């Protein structure tokens, strides 16, 4: 058993070190959407600091006729993920399809540095300066650029915002630091919300957090580099070793559980090869370091540059004035119940419209994207809340 876990721990840094020079996976969000007969569009927008981001759009449903104009739903992925998160489960289960079938114009964002957003007006992703960002910049620059573009294209005034994991963190950054942006948001639906992290249970973070979360640690000289890009190699490994018939599938499952929380009953093991074909999708090491700092400090605050720099400021959560809905679970290793409840207390009472705790006590961080019973456990509640704000 010790050898087993040694192998799991050894594989993770190897995957993390895979260079972006290896060809990316052949599976794209467009492939996943179009194979089900839904219309698909790709759009590009440039941020104020020069990053060129790709957004994916399902403008209308292939199954249901809905009148125009359609309300806009904007979906934002978590760390090391991409727009594919929302469509991997297919129609009837994937949140992008559920929203499309309910009459929404669905836009899916891709943060700087992931598979679809690795370009810049003046920099190239093979040099460290391209990766000099963390999730603060994603919140302050990427999300407003993408939402403004979607609203301009659709001639709508507001979006329903739905984020998972880092997609919740970045929204809290934006809405606390730029309160005026509230006029573009009808409501925010934060799934597995990550802000405070000092009670998280992930063994990987608990092991590496104190080292990476110390801004004066020597390990942080490795900042400004790419982390875990999407590669053809991972796609092939998933196909060969993580299929239902593979003897190594348990290893694939437990690599996921180490980050997310153990839940054998709700893991869709058949989906693992498809998940590995699109995830991880790449990020900057500074995004991980910033989360590690949250774990060590117990605060939700800006990036700490360390000795010789100003003390980082807390994000002013009390300034958020957008209707917020939270969805969390008991067995989430990344967003513990204690930390989510701390976030609740920091928000204005009039701002927090609902905090929905998943009934299943074993539900974990990634079940919110790919769990077997996701519609019953989570998405029915999310859809109900989005619809409740549709005409307000």
């Amino acid at each position: 058993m010790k050898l087993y876990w040694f192998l799991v721990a050894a594989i993770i840094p190897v995957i993390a070190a895979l260079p972006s020079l290896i060809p990316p996976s052949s599976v794209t969000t467009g492939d996943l959407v179009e194979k089900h007969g839904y219309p698909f569009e790709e759009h590009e927008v440039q941020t104020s600091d020069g990053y060129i981001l790709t957004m994916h759009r399902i403008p209308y449903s292939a199954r249901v006729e809905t009148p125009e104009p359609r309300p806009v739903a904007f979906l934002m992925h978590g760390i090391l993920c991409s727009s594919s998160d929302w469509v991997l489960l297919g129609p009837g289960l994937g949140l992008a399809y559920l929203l499309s079938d309910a009459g929404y114009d669905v836009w899916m964002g891709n943060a700087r540095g992931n598979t679809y957003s690795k370009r810049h007006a003046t920099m190239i992703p093979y040099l460290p300066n391209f990766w000099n960002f963390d999730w603060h910049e994603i919140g302050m620059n990427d999300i407003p650029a993408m939402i403004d573009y979607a609203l301009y294209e659709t001639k709508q005034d507001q979006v329903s915002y739905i984020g998972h994991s880092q997609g919740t963190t970045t929204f809290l950054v934006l809405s606390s630091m730029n309160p005026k942006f509230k006029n573009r948001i009808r409501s925010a639906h934060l799934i597995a919300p990550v802000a405070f992290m000092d009670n998280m249970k992930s063994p990987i973070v608990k092991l590496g957090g104190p080292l990476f979360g110390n801004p004066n640690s020597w390990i942080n000289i490795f900042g400004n580099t790419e982390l875990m890009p999407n590669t053809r190699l991972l796609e092939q490994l998933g196909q060969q070793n993580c299929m239902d018939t593979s003897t190594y599938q348990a290893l694939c499952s437990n690599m996921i559980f180490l980050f997310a929380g153990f839940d054998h009953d709700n893991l869709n093991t058949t989906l693992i090869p498809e998940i590995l074909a699109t995830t991880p999708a790449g990020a900057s090491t500074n995004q991980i370091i910033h989360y590690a700092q949250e774990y060590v400090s117990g605060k939700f605050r800006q990036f700490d540059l360390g000795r010789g720099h100003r003390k980082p400021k807390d994000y002013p959560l009390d300034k958020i004035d957008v209707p917020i809905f939270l969805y969390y679970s008991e067995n989430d290793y990344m967003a513990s119940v204690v930390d989510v409840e701390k976030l609740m207390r920091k928000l204005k009472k009039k701002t927090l419209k609902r905090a929905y705790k998943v009934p299943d006590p074993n539900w974990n961080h990634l079940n919110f994207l790919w769990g077997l019973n996701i519609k019953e456990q989570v998405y029915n509640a999310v859809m109900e809340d989005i619809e409740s704000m549709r005409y307000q």
Side-chain angles (χ1 to χ4, degrees), residues 188-263:
H189 305 265
L190 309 185
I191 301 171
V194 179
F196 301 100
M197 301 182 68
D198 46 317
N199 292 288
M200 68 183 307
K201 296 178 287 186
S202 170
I204 298 298
V205 177
K206 289 174 78 72
L207 182 65
L211 183 61
F212 286 93
N214 178 357
N216 300 310
S217 170
W218 63 271
I219 198 73
N220 289 326
I221 64 172
F222 296 108
N224 297 356
T225 57
E226 183 177 15
L227 177 73
M228 299 179 77
N230 177 245
T231 66
R232 189 75 55 85
L233 176 60
L234 272 178
E235 178 189 357
Q236 292 172 349
L237 285 173
Q239 292 291 338
Q240 293 170 8
N241 300 308
C242 299
M243 302 287 285
D244 285 337
T245 55
S246 173
T247 56
Y248 299 104
Q249 191 184 69
L251 181 63
C252 301
S253 302
N254 283 302
M255 286 176 64
I256 294 173
F257 290 147
L258 277 174
F259 289 97
F262 287 79
D263 184 9

Coordinates of all heavy atoms in Angstrom, one line a residue, residues 188-263:
A188 N -25.0 35.8 -9.4 CA -23.7 35.0 -9.5 C -24.0 33.7 -8.7 O -24.5 33.7 -7.6 CB -22.6 35.7 -8.8
H189 N -23.6 32.6 -9.4 CA -23.9 31.2 -8.9 C -22.5 30.5 -8.7 O -21.9 30.1 -9.7 CB -24.8 30.5 -9.8 CG -26.1 31.2 -10.0 ND1 -27.2 31.0 -9.3 CD2 -26.3 32.3 -10.9 CE1 -28.2 31.8 -9.7 NE2 -27.7 32.6 -10.6
L190 N -22.0 30.5 -7.5 CA -20.7 30.1 -7.2 C -20.7 28.6 -6.7 O -21.1 28.3 -5.5 CB -20.1 31.0 -6.1 CG -20.2 32.5 -6.5 CD1 -19.4 33.4 -5.5 CD2 -19.7 32.8 -7.9
I191 N -20.1 27.7 -7.5 CA -20.2 26.3 -7.2 C -18.8 25.9 -6.7 O -17.8 26.1 -7.3 CB -20.4 25.5 -8.5 CG1 -21.8 26.0 -9.1 CG2 -20.4 24.0 -8.3 CD1 -22.1 25.5 -10.5
A192 N -18.8 25.2 -5.5 CA -17.6 24.8 -4.8 C -16.7 26.1 -4.6 O -15.6 26.2 -5.1 CB -16.8 23.8 -5.5
P193 N -17.3 27.1 -3.9 CA -16.6 28.4 -3.8 C -15.3 28.3 -3.0 O -15.3 27.8 -1.9 CB -17.7 29.3 -3.0 CG -18.5 28.3 -2.3 CD -18.5 27.0 -3.1
V194 N -14.3 28.9 -3.5 CA -13.0 29.0 -2.9 C -12.5 30.4 -2.6 O -12.3 31.2 -3.6 CB -11.9 28.2 -3.8 CG1 -10.5 28.3 -3.1 CG2 -12.3 26.8 -4.1
A195 N -12.5 30.8 -1.4 CA -11.9 32.1 -1.0 C -11.0 31.8 0.2 O -9.8 31.8 0.0 CB -13.1 33.0 -0.6
F196 N -11.6 31.6 1.4 CA -10.7 31.2 2.5 C -10.4 29.7 2.4 O -11.2 28.9 2.0 CB -11.5 31.5 3.8 CG -11.9 32.9 4.0 CD1 -13.2 33.4 3.6 CD2 -10.9 33.9 4.4 CE1 -13.5 34.7 3.7 CE2 -11.3 35.2 4.5 CZ -12.5 35.6 4.2
M197 N -9.2 29.4 2.8 CA -8.7 28.0 2.6 C -8.0 27.3 3.7 O -7.4 26.2 3.6 CB -7.8 28.0 1.3 CG -8.4 28.5 0.1 SD -7.3 28.4 -1.3 CE -7.2 26.7 -1.6
D198 N -7.9 28.0 4.9 CA -7.1 27.5 5.9 C -7.6 26.2 6.6 O -6.9 25.5 7.3 CB -6.9 28.5 7.0 CG -8.1 29.2 7.4 OD1 -8.9 29.6 6.6 OD2 -8.4 29.5 8.6
N199 N -8.9 25.8 6.2 CA -9.4 24.5 6.8 C -9.5 23.4 5.7 O -10.2 22.4 5.9 CB -10.8 24.8 7.4 CG -10.7 25.6 8.7 OD1 -10.2 25.1 9.7 ND2 -11.0 26.8 8.6
M200 N -8.9 23.7 4.5 CA -9.0 22.7 3.5 C -8.3 21.4 3.8 O -7.4 21.4 4.6 CB -8.4 23.2 2.2 CG -7.0 23.5 2.2 SD -6.4 24.2 0.6 CE -7.1 23.1 -0.6
K201 N -8.8 20.3 3.2 CA -8.3 18.9 3.6 C -7.4 18.2 2.6 O -7.0 17.1 2.8 CB -9.5 18.1 4.0 CG -10.3 18.6 5.2 CD -11.5 17.7 5.4 CE -12.6 17.9 4.4 NZ -13.8 17.1 4.7
S202 N -7.2 18.9 1.5 CA -6.4 18.2 0.4 C -5.0 17.8 0.9 O -4.2 18.7 1.3 CB -6.3 19.2 -0.8 OG -5.3 18.6 -1.7
P203 N -4.6 16.6 0.9 CA -3.3 16.2 1.4 C -2.2 16.8 0.6 O -1.1 17.0 1.1 CB -3.3 14.6 1.3 CG -4.4 14.3 0.3 CD -5.4 15.4 0.5
I204 N -2.4 17.0 -0.7 CA -1.4 17.6 -1.5 C -1.1 19.0 -1.1 O 0.1 19.4 -0.9 CB -1.8 17.6 -3.0 CG1 -2.0 16.2 -3.5 CG2 -0.8 18.3 -3.9 CD1 -0.8 15.3 -3.5
V205 N -2.1 19.8 -0.8 CA -2.0 21.2 -0.4 C -1.4 21.2 1.1 O -0.6 22.1 1.4 CB -3.3 22.0 -0.5 CG1 -3.1 23.4 0.0 CG2 -3.8 22.0 -2.0
K206 N -1.9 20.4 1.9 CA -1.5 20.3 3.3 C 0.0 20.0 3.4 O 0.7 20.5 4.2 CB -2.3 19.3 4.1 CG -3.7 19.7 4.3 CD -4.5 18.7 5.0 CE -4.2 18.6 6.5 NZ -4.8 19.7 7.2
L207 N 0.5 19.2 2.4 CA 1.9 18.8 2.4 C 2.8 20.0 1.8 O 3.8 20.3 2.4 CB 2.1 17.6 1.5 CG 3.5 17.0 1.4 CD1 4.0 16.5 2.8 CD2 3.5 15.9 0.4
G208 N 2.3 20.5 0.7 CA 3.1 21.5 0.0 C 2.8 23.0 0.3 O 3.6 23.9 0.1
G209 N 1.6 23.2 0.9 CA 1.1 24.5 1.2 C 2.1 25.4 2.1 O 2.4 26.5 1.7
P210 N 2.6 24.8 3.2 CA 3.5 25.7 4.0 C 4.8 26.1 3.3 O 5.3 27.2 3.6 CB 3.8 24.7 5.2 CG 2.6 23.8 5.3 CD 2.2 23.6 3.8
L211 N 5.2 25.3 2.3 CA 6.4 25.6 1.6 C 6.1 26.7 0.5 O 6.7 27.7 0.4 CB 7.0 24.4 1.0 CG 8.4 24.6 0.2 CD1 9.4 25.1 1.1 CD2 8.8 23.3 -0.4
F212 N 5.1 26.3 -0.3 CA 4.8 27.2 -1.4 C 4.0 28.5 -1.0 O 4.1 29.5 -1.6 CB 3.9 26.5 -2.4 CG 4.6 25.5 -3.3 CD1 4.7 24.2 -2.9 CD2 5.3 25.9 -4.4 CE1 5.4 23.2 -3.7 CE2 6.0 25.0 -5.2 CZ 6.0 23.6 -4.8
G213 N 3.4 28.4 0.2 CA 2.6 29.5 0.7 C 3.4 30.5 1.4 O 2.9 31.6 1.8
N214 N 4.7 30.3 1.7 CA 5.6 31.2 2.3 C 6.3 32.1 1.2 O 7.0 31.6 0.4 CB 6.7 30.5 3.1 CG 7.7 31.4 3.7 OD1 7.6 32.6 3.6 ND2 8.7 30.8 4.5
P215 N 5.9 33.4 1.1 CA 6.4 34.2 0.0 C 7.9 34.4 0.0 O 8.5 34.7 -1.0 CB 5.7 35.5 0.3 CG 5.3 35.5 1.7 CD 5.0 34.1 2.0
N216 N 8.6 34.1 1.2 CA 10.0 34.2 1.2 C 10.8 32.9 1.0 O 12.0 32.8 1.2 CB 10.4 34.8 2.6 CG 9.8 36.2 2.8 OD1 9.9 37.1 1.9 ND2 9.1 36.4 3.9
S217 N 10.0 31.9 0.7 CA 10.6 30.5 0.5 C 11.4 30.5 -0.8 O 11.0 31.1 -1.8 CB 9.5 29.5 0.4 OG 10.0 28.2 0.0
W218 N 12.5 29.8 -0.8 CA 13.3 29.6 -2.0 C 12.6 28.9 -3.1 O 12.9 29.2 -4.3 CB 14.6 28.7 -1.7 CG 14.2 27.3 -1.2 CD1 13.9 26.9 0.0 CD2 14.0 26.2 -2.1 NE1 13.6 25.6 0.0 CE2 13.7 25.1 -1.3 CE3 14.1 26.0 -3.5 CZ2 13.4 23.9 -1.8 CZ3 13.9 24.7 -4.0 CH2 13.5 23.7 -3.1
I219 N 11.5 28.2 -2.8 CA 10.8 27.4 -3.8 C 10.1 28.4 -4.8 O 9.8 28.0 -5.9 CB 9.8 26.5 -3.2 CG1 9.3 25.4 -4.1 CG2 8.6 27.2 -2.6 CD1 10.3 24.3 -4.4
N220 N 9.8 29.6 -4.3 CA 9.1 30.5 -5.2 C 9.9 31.1 -6.3 O 9.4 32.0 -7.1 CB 8.4 31.6 -4.3 CG 7.2 31.0 -3.5 OD1 6.6 30.1 -4.0 ND2 7.1 31.5 -2.3
I221 N 11.2 30.8 -6.4 CA 11.9 31.2 -7.5 C 11.4 30.5 -8.8 O 11.7 30.9 -9.9 CB 13.4 30.9 -7.4 CG1 13.7 29.3 -7.3 CG2 14.0 31.6 -6.2 CD1 15.1 28.9 -7.3
F222 N 10.6 29.5 -8.6 CA 10.0 28.8 -9.7 C 8.7 29.4 -10.2 O 8.0 28.8 -11.0 CB 9.8 27.3 -9.4 CG 11.1 26.6 -9.1 CD1 11.4 26.2 -7.8 CD2 12.0 26.3 -10.2 CE1 12.6 25.5 -7.6 CE2 13.2 25.6 -9.9 CZ 13.5 25.2 -8.6
G223 N 8.4 30.6 -9.7 CA 7.2 31.3 -10.2 C 7.4 31.7 -11.6 O 8.4 31.6 -12.2
N224 N 6.3 32.2 -12.2 CA 6.3 32.7 -13.6 C 6.7 31.5 -14.6 O 7.4 31.7 -15.5 CB 7.3 33.8 -13.8 CG 6.9 35.1 -13.0 OD1 5.9 35.1 -12.4 ND2 7.7 36.1 -13.1
T225 N 6.1 30.4 -14.4 CA 6.3 29.3 -15.3 C 4.9 28.6 -15.6 O 4.0 28.8 -14.8 CB 7.3 28.2 -14.8 OG1 6.8 27.7 -13.6 CG2 8.7 28.8 -14.7
E226 N 4.8 27.8 -16.6 CA 3.6 27.1 -16.9 C 3.5 25.8 -16.1 O 4.5 25.1 -15.8 CB 3.6 26.7 -18.4 CG 2.3 26.1 -18.8 CD 2.2 25.8 -20.3 OE1 3.3 25.8 -21.0 OE2 1.1 25.5 -20.8
L227 N 2.3 25.5 -15.7 CA 2.0 24.3 -14.9 C 1.0 23.5 -15.5 O -0.1 23.9 -15.9 CB 1.5 24.8 -13.5 CG 1.1 23.6 -12.5 CD1 2.3 22.9 -12.0 CD2 0.2 24.2 -11.4
M228 N 1.3 22.2 -15.7 CA 0.4 21.2 -16.2 C -0.4 21.5 -17.4 O -1.6 21.6 -17.4 CB -0.5 20.7 -15.0 CG 0.2 20.2 -13.8 SD -0.9 19.7 -12.4 CE -1.6 18.2 -13.0
P229 N 0.3 21.8 -18.5 CA -0.5 22.0 -19.8 C -1.2 20.8 -20.3 O -0.8 19.7 -19.9 CB 0.6 22.5 -20.7 CG 1.8 21.8 -20.2 CD 1.7 21.8 -18.7
N230 N -2.2 21.0 -21.1 CA -2.9 19.9 -21.8 C -2.0 19.4 -22.9 O -1.5 20.1 -23.7 CB -4.2 20.4 -22.3 CG -5.0 19.4 -23.1 OD1 -5.1 19.5 -24.3 ND2 -5.4 18.4 -22.4
T231 N -1.8 18.0 -22.9 CA -0.9 17.4 -23.9 C -1.5 16.2 -24.5 O -2.4 15.5 -24.0 CB 0.4 17.0 -23.3 OG1 0.2 16.0 -22.3 CG2 1.1 18.2 -22.6
R232 N -1.1 15.9 -25.7 CA -1.5 14.6 -26.4 C -1.0 13.4 -25.6 O -1.7 12.4 -25.6 CB -0.8 14.6 -27.8 CG -1.3 13.5 -28.7 CD -2.7 13.8 -29.3 NE -2.8 15.1 -29.9 CZ -2.4 15.3 -31.2 NH1 -2.0 14.3 -32.0 NH2 -2.6 16.5 -31.8
L233 N 0.1 13.6 -24.9 CA 0.6 12.4 -24.1 C -0.4 12.0 -23.0 O -0.7 10.9 -22.8 CB 1.9 12.8 -23.4 CG 2.6 11.8 -22.5 CD1 2.8 10.5 -23.2 CD2 3.8 12.3 -21.9
L234 N -1.0 13.0 -22.3 CA -2.0 12.7 -21.3 C -3.2 12.1 -21.9 O -3.8 11.2 -21.3 CB -2.3 14.0 -20.5 CG -1.5 14.4 -19.3 CD1 -1.9 15.7 -18.7 CD2 -1.5 13.3 -18.3
E235 N -3.6 12.6 -23.0 CA -4.8 12.0 -23.7 C -4.5 10.5 -24.0 O -5.4 9.7 -23.7 CB -5.0 12.8 -25.0 CG -6.2 12.2 -25.8 CD -6.3 12.8 -27.2 OE1 -5.5 13.7 -27.5 OE2 -7.2 12.4 -28.0
Q236 N -3.3 10.2 -24.5 CA -3.0 8.8 -24.8 C -2.9 8.0 -23.6 O -3.4 6.8 -23.5 CB -1.7 8.8 -25.6 CG -1.9 9.4 -27.0 CD -0.6 9.5 -27.8 OE1 0.5 9.3 -27.2 NE2 -0.7 9.8 -29.0
L237 N -2.3 8.5 -22.5 CA -2.2 7.8 -21.2 C -3.6 7.5 -20.7 O -3.8 6.4 -20.2 CB -1.4 8.6 -20.2 CG 0.1 8.6 -20.4 CD1 0.8 9.6 -19.5 CD2 0.7 7.2 -20.3
G238 N -4.5 8.5 -20.8 CA -5.8 8.2 -20.3 C -6.6 7.2 -21.1 O -7.2 6.3 -20.5
Q239 N -6.4 7.2 -22.4 CA -7.0 6.2 -23.2 C -6.5 4.8 -22.9 O -7.2 3.8 -22.9 CB -6.9 6.5 -24.7 CG -7.6 7.8 -25.1 CD -9.1 7.6 -25.2 OE1 -9.6 6.5 -25.2 NE2 -9.8 8.7 -25.1
Q240 N -5.2 4.7 -22.7 CA -4.6 3.4 -22.5 C -4.7 2.8 -21.1 O -4.9 1.6 -20.9 CB -3.1 3.5 -22.9 CG -2.9 3.7 -24.3 CD -1.4 4.1 -24.6 OE1 -0.5 3.9 -23.7 NE2 -1.1 4.5 -25.8
N241 N -4.7 3.7 -20.1 CA -4.6 3.2 -18.7 C -5.8 3.5 -17.8 O -5.8 3.1 -16.7 CB -3.3 3.8 -18.1 CG -2.1 3.4 -18.8 OD1 -1.8 2.2 -19.0 ND2 -1.3 4.4 -19.2
C242 N -6.7 4.3 -18.3 CA -7.8 4.7 -17.4 C -9.2 4.3 -17.9 O -10.2 4.7 -17.3 CB -7.8 6.3 -17.2 SG -6.3 6.9 -16.5
M243 N -9.2 3.4 -18.9 CA -10.5 2.9 -19.4 C -11.1 1.9 -18.3 O -10.4 1.5 -17.4 CB -10.3 2.1 -20.7 CG -9.7 3.0 -21.8 SD -10.9 4.1 -22.5 CE -11.9 3.0 -23.5
D244 N -12.4 1.6 -18.5 CA -13.0 0.7 -17.5 C -12.3 -0.6 -17.5 O -12.4 -1.3 -16.4 CB -14.5 0.5 -17.9 CG -15.3 1.8 -17.5 OD1 -14.9 2.5 -16.6 OD2 -16.4 2.0 -18.2
T245 N -11.7 -1.1 -18.6 CA -11.1 -2.4 -18.6 C -9.7 -2.4 -18.1 O -9.1 -3.5 -18.1 CB -11.1 -2.9 -20.1 OG1 -10.5 -1.9 -20.9 CG2 -12.6 -3.1 -20.6
S246 N -9.1 -1.2 -17.8 CA -7.7 -1.1 -17.4 C -7.5 -1.5 -15.9 O -8.3 -1.1 -15.1 CB -7.2 0.3 -17.7 OG -5.9 0.4 -17.2
T247 N -6.4 -2.2 -15.7 CA -6.1 -2.5 -14.3 C -5.5 -1.3 -13.5 O -5.4 -1.3 -12.3 CB -5.0 -3.7 -14.2 OG1 -3.9 -3.2 -15.0 CG2 -5.6 -4.9 -14.8
Y248 N -5.2 -0.3 -14.3 CA -4.6 0.9 -13.7 C -5.7 2.0 -13.4 O -5.4 3.1 -12.9 CB -3.6 1.5 -14.6 CG -2.4 0.6 -14.8 CD1 -2.3 0.0 -16.0 CD2 -1.4 0.4 -13.8 CE1 -1.2 -0.9 -16.3 CE2 -0.4 -0.5 -14.1 CZ -0.3 -1.1 -15.3 OH 0.8 -2.0 -15.5
Q249 N -7.0 1.7 -13.6 CA -8.0 2.7 -13.5 C -8.1 3.2 -12.0 O -8.3 4.4 -11.8 CB -9.4 2.2 -13.9 CG -10.4 3.4 -14.0 CD -11.8 2.8 -14.4 OE1 -12.4 2.2 -13.6 NE2 -12.2 3.2 -15.6
A250 N -7.8 2.4 -11.1 CA -7.9 2.8 -9.7 C -6.8 3.8 -9.4 O -7.1 4.8 -8.6 CB -7.7 1.6 -8.7
L251 N -5.7 3.7 -10.0 CA -4.6 4.7 -9.9 C -5.1 6.1 -10.4 O -4.9 7.1 -9.8 CB -3.4 4.3 -10.6 CG -2.1 5.2 -10.5 CD1 -1.7 5.3 -9.0 CD2 -1.0 4.7 -11.4
C252 N -5.7 6.1 -11.6 CA -6.3 7.3 -12.2 C -7.3 7.9 -11.2 O -7.3 9.1 -11.0 CB -6.9 7.0 -13.5 SG -5.9 6.2 -14.7
S253 N -8.2 7.1 -10.7 CA -9.2 7.6 -9.8 C -8.6 8.2 -8.5 O -9.0 9.3 -8.1 CB -10.1 6.5 -9.3 OG -10.8 5.9 -10.4
N254 N -7.6 7.6 -7.9 CA -7.1 8.1 -6.7 C -6.2 9.3 -6.9 O -6.1 10.1 -5.9 CB -6.3 7.0 -6.0 CG -7.2 6.0 -5.3 OD1 -7.9 6.3 -4.4 ND2 -7.1 4.7 -5.7
M255 N -5.7 9.5 -8.1 CA -5.0 10.8 -8.3 C -6.0 11.9 -8.3 O -5.7 13.0 -7.7 CB -4.3 10.8 -9.7 CG -3.1 9.9 -9.7 SD -2.4 9.8 -11.4 CE -1.9 11.5 -11.7
I256 N -7.2 11.7 -8.8 CA -8.3 12.7 -8.7 C -8.7 12.9 -7.3 O -8.9 14.0 -6.8 CB -9.5 12.3 -9.6 CG1 -9.0 12.3 -11.1 CG2 -10.7 13.2 -9.4 CD1 -10.1 11.7 -12.0
F257 N -8.9 11.8 -6.5 CA -9.4 11.9 -5.1 C -8.4 12.7 -4.2 O -8.9 13.3 -3.3 CB -9.6 10.5 -4.6 CG -10.8 9.8 -5.2 CD1 -10.8 8.4 -5.3 CD2 -11.9 10.4 -5.6 CE1 -11.8 7.7 -5.9 CE2 -13.0 9.8 -6.1 CZ -13.0 8.4 -6.3
L258 N -7.1 12.6 -4.5 CA -6.1 13.3 -3.6 C -6.4 14.8 -3.6 O -6.2 15.4 -2.6 CB -4.7 13.0 -4.2 CG -4.1 11.7 -3.7 CD1 -2.7 11.5 -4.4 CD2 -3.9 11.7 -2.2
F259 N -6.9 15.3 -4.7 CA -7.1 16.7 -4.8 C -8.6 17.1 -4.4 O -8.8 18.1 -3.7 CB -7.0 17.2 -6.3 CG -5.5 17.3 -6.7 CD1 -5.0 16.2 -7.4 CD2 -4.7 18.3 -6.4 CE1 -3.7 16.3 -7.8 CE2 -3.4 18.4 -6.8 CZ -2.9 17.4 -7.5
A260 N -9.5 16.2 -4.7 CA -10.9 16.6 -4.6 C -11.7 16.1 -3.4 O -12.6 16.7 -3.0 CB -11.6 16.1 -5.9
G261 N -11.2 14.9 -2.9 CA -12.0 14.3 -1.8 C -12.4 12.9 -2.3 O -12.8 12.8 -3.5
F262 N -12.4 11.9 -1.5 CA -12.7 10.5 -1.9 C -14.2 10.3 -2.0 O -14.9 10.6 -1.1 CB -12.1 9.5 -1.0 CG -10.6 9.4 -1.1 CD1 -9.7 10.4 -0.5 CD2 -10.0 8.4 -1.8 CE1 -8.3 10.3 -0.7 CE2 -8.6 8.3 -2.0 CZ -7.8 9.3 -1.4
D263 N -14.6 9.8 -3.2 CA -16.0 9.5 -3.4 C -16.1 8.5 -4.6 O -16.3 8.9 -5.7 CB -16.8 10.8 -3.8 CG -18.3 10.6 -3.9 OD1 -18.7 9.4 -3.6 OD2 -19.0 11.5 -4.4

